[in-house]
Amino acid sequence: NPVTGRGTSLPGASVLASSAMEADALATALCVMPAPVAFMEHTPGTACLLTLEGGGIKKSSRWS
């Protein structure tokens, strides 16, 4: 996390977007956001699957 200098609390993020560059940038940003799924719900043409600490997952509504 560039703000705290510590590792992120989100172990991983997979993103579907219109380009690989956009997906990579979003995946990186999601790892430091406080509400990544809510952000993705308001980002048209994208979807995400997040790996949580402990092995759980969360996904946006457009993830199939």
Side-chain angles (χ1 to χ4, degrees):
N1 183 333
V3 174
T4 65
R6 296 184 175 163
T8 66
S9 61
L10 189 62
S14 296
V15 174
L16 298 175
S18 61
S19 72
M21 188 179 345
E22 181 182 12
D24 181 49
L26 285 168
T28 300
L30 292 178
C31 289
V32 297
M33 289 183 179
V37 174
F39 174 82
M40 292 297 282
E41 293 295 347
H42 292 97
T43 307
T46 64
C48 71
L49 180 130
L50 309 174
T51 305
L52 307 173
E53 287 183 1
I57 62 167
K58 278 190 179 181
K59 57 186 177 177
S60 63
S61 62
R62 291 184 294 272
W63 186 270
S64 19

